[in-house]
Amino acid sequence: MLGNLPSLDGVIAQSAQSAAGGTDVISQASLVEPLQRINEVMRPYSIEFELRESTSRLVTRIVDRDSGEVIRQIPAEEVLRIAERLEELRGRLIKLEA
């Protein structure tokens, strides 16, 4: 199944072309389908990936196959909340005087 995923070289080449054109390198929307396919392949290994819309951060979870309980999450929820809060405060933390 992993053979059906796009090659890393192709993704890098597309990113380089986009960067040369001055557009965003990889959009969040373009990652949704590949992440879904990766999740399908990794499901038997109890690994899940999620792209958070609010922060555009990738979250990795190790889950119990039987109960669905999250065993480990990287980054942890606390870290994600801190990052979101810091993002809200950006620009307010440092006040530059002319």
Side-chain angles (χ1 to χ4, degrees):
M1 286 194 125
L2 289 175
N4 295 332
L5 295 175
S7 70
L8 184 59
D9 293 336
V11 172
I12 291 171
Q14 287 177 339
S15 297
Q17 290 173 353
S18 295
T23 59
D24 290 335
V25 176
I26 297 177
S27 71
Q28 184 174 349
S30 67
L31 294 176
V32 172
E33 184 182 339
L35 274 177
Q36 289 174 344
R37 293 190 313 175
I38 290 169
N39 280 335
E40 288 175 16
V41 172
M42 298 304 288
R43 187 169 290 123
Y45 302 101
S46 301
I47 299 174
E48 296 177 353
F49 298 95
E50 175 191 356
L51 187 62
R52 292 279 173 106
E53 290 182 22
S54 59
T55 61
S56 297
R57 295 183 190 273
L58 183 66
V59 177
T60 306
R61 288 190 198 94
I62 310 297
V63 295
D64 183 287
R65 282 188 222 172
D66 299 326
S67 68
E69 179 184 350
V70 175
I71 298 170
R72 172 96 170 155
Q73 177 177 308
I74 304 167
E77 280 296 326
E78 295 82 10
V79 173
L80 291 171
R81 281 188 294 229
I82 290 170
E84 287 176 11
R85 184 69 177 136
L86 287 174
E87 187 68 29
E88 291 171 10
L89 293 174
R90 187 182 357 170
R92 295 184 204 171
L93 293 176
I94 300 174
K95 184 176 181 180
L96 300 175
E97 295 183 20

